[in-house]
Amino acid sequence: MGHNMGLDYATYAKRGFLLGLALFLFGALGAMVASRMGPFPGWERTLLSDSMILGFSLGFISVFGFGIVLPLTE
């Protein structure tokens, strides 16, 4: 009955997780490097912390969404 319309859920789950991991690492490593360089503007601190939050959320949502929920709804 189900038709996946050509979606490869495993690939989307892996790529979404890797993108989330990359965003998280960008934010975490950027915050460490910037804190050692001295004071930096508030917008940069916000960018790095939002990047960590978005990366963490994207990693988990893509794994649960494309890896668990969508294949079960087919």
Side-chain angles (χ1 to χ4, degrees), residues 6-19 62-63 66-67 71:
L7 293 177
D8 186 13
Y9 295 130
T11 302
Y12 286 136
K14 290 174 191 173
R15 288 181 182 169
F17 176 77
L18 291 176
L19 178 61
S62 65
V63 169
F66 288 112

Side-chain angles (χ1 to χ4, degrees), residues 3-54:
H3 51 70
N4 62 3
M5 296 185 301
L7 293 177
D8 186 13
Y9 295 130
T11 302
Y12 286 136
K14 290 174 191 173
R15 288 181 182 169
F17 176 77
L18 291 176
L19 178 61
L21 181 65
L23 280 170
F24 181 80
L25 290 176
F26 168 74
L29 295 175
M32 281 194 286
V33 168
S35 67
R36 293 178 191 255
M37 293 175 60
F40 58 101
W43 67 270
E44 289 179 4
R45 187 178 316 248
T46 302
L47 176 72
L48 294 172
S49 63
D50 286 350
S51 173
M52 288 191 311
I53 293 169
L54 181 65

